[in-house]
Amino acid sequence: MPMTMASVRTFSTRYRVQAECIAVAVLAFVVFVVLGIGARRKLVPVRADLATASIIDREITGFRAAFKPSPTADNPNVSLPDSLAISVPRDDRVSLAGDLASRAELVGLSGVRVSFAAPDSATAPEHPALFSATVAVADYGVSVDCSGSFAQVLSFVNQLPPSVALQRITAVRDKFGSHFHVMLAVFEAPTTAQHG
């Protein structure tokens, strides 16, 4: 039997309590649907923030896992004169480049290229003041190009020999990963002319 307005009126007058309960239930259903849709819309930015926080947490965890602190002391039994410990002779700059490349690869950096370049345009680092010898900033710099994570670059910088000083780090990120350009200043002892 089809429902008409007359049959609805008859039902509502005959079963008044049941009709009121049905009306209240329908009203409550509509209110809860509207509240649910509003709550879901408010959750969208919260979920986005949660996803961002999760990504940051994974990056920090990866950074901590990849970071390698420098050794506390290479060999305490070996003592070098101050000028040899913090400067490199100009003739040994190729071995310095090889040492820097091996240090970068040891911390996990890949595609390591070490080259000599003009000094960086940044302010030259302060050279150490020694009693027994003078040390100056060399008229060339060393550039290290590599790929890897920022934690690995920080590990590399933390393990630099005392004869170089960090001047600049540049990072570029593309679809293949992060690429870094590290510019280093070199400390060298001034050459003295030999008389004979």
Side-chain angles (χ1 to χ4, degrees):
M1 141 168 154
M3 285 202 70
T4 62
M5 281 304 282
S7 63
V8 169
R9 281 189 195 133
T10 306
F11 176 79
S12 64
T13 52
R14 185 181 299 167
Y15 304 103
R16 183 178 180 140
V17 174
Q18 290 87 350
E20 288 175 357
C21 289
I22 290 172
V24 169
V26 168
L27 180 64
F29 177 76
V30 169
V31 168
F32 287 131
V33 166
V34 170
L35 289 175
I37 291 172
R40 183 171 289 218
R41 285 185 184 156
K42 289 182 180 178
L43 277 178
V44 170
V46 172
R47 287 184 179 154
D49 290 344
L50 185 63
T52 303
S54 174
I55 291 170
I56 291 171
D57 184 49
R58 280 196 302 265
E59 286 182 6
I60 290 172
T61 303
F63 175 85
R64 287 182 176 159
F67 186 77
K68 296 177 186 173
S70 64
T72 54
D74 293 330
N75 190 350
N77 296 329
V78 177
S79 65
L80 296 172
D82 286 340
S83 62
L84 292 178
I86 61 161
S87 67
V88 62
R90 184 174 286 273
D91 296 339
D92 291 345
R93 62 183 174 174
V94 174
S95 62
L96 173 66
D99 180 43
L100 291 172
S102 64
R103 287 176 190 243
E105 290 171 348
L106 279 175
V107 297
L109 293 169
S110 61
V112 177
R113 289 176 313 197
V114 179
S115 58
F116 299 103
D120 192 71
S121 61
T123 304
E126 297 242 354
H127 54 77
L130 302 174
F131 295 113
S132 60
T134 58
V135 175
V137 178
D139 61 350
Y140 64 92
V142 177
S143 87
V144 179
D145 295 299
C146 55
S147 300
S149 70
F150 187 62
Q152 291 168 328
V153 171
L154 286 181
S155 295
F156 168 66
V157 168
N158 199 27
Q159 296 178 18
L160 286 174
S163 57
V164 296
L166 176 66
Q167 283 198 284
R168 186 182 309 258
I169 296 177
T170 308
V172 176
R173 187 177 184 118
D174 60 16
K175 63 182 178 180
F176 301 110
S178 298
H179 308 287
F180 296 92
H181 177 77
V182 180
M183 191 64 193
L184 305 169
V186 180
F187 295 121
E188 69 177 6
T191 56
T192 57
Q194 294 183 354
H195 300 277

